Amino acid sequence: EALFMNSKLVSGVTEFLNTEGELRELKNFIKTYEGGAAVSFSRAVETVEANVRWQRLYKEELFQWLRKSLTQ
């Protein structure tokens, strides 16, 4: 359990989560493992929330830019 609570491991595992569903699953998972990893989990949630916001704001714009760039 101590290895799992390592902040680098937690951030590495959660770094690429970027949907509302994944964020919800992460928060539910954290509820079952509260305690010594609170800081690591807190940072992980902040990262995933930022990823979700980025997806919401820029994903479609990025895809449009890529489509336009690839068809030129």
Side-chain angles (χ1 to χ4, degrees):
E1 188 173 334
L3 173 63
F4 178 76
M5 300 309 174
N6 179 300
S7 64
K8 288 183 181 179
L9 181 60
V10 171
S11 65
V13 169
T14 58
E15 180 177 5
F16 298 102
L17 302 181
N18 58 23
T19 67
E20 293 281 348
E22 291 169 332
L23 177 59
R24 202 170 30 256
E25 286 181 37
L26 175 62
K27 287 180 176 181
N28 287 337
F29 177 80
I30 291 169
K31 287 178 187 175
T32 60
Y33 285 97
E34 289 182 72
V39 173
S40 298
F41 283 137
S42 174
R43 288 187 190 130
V45 168
E46 288 173 6
T47 298
V48 177
E49 287 174 339
N51 291 348
V52 169
R53 277 192 305 274
W54 190 96
Q55 284 273 19
R56 198 178 307 129
L57 294 171
Y58 302 111
K59 181 179 176 182
E60 189 55 38
E61 187 177 320
L62 174 63
F63 285 151
Q64 288 177 10
W65 179 84
L66 284 172
R67 277 188 221 110
K68 183 178 176 184
S69 297
L70 293 174
T71 58
Q72 290 181 354

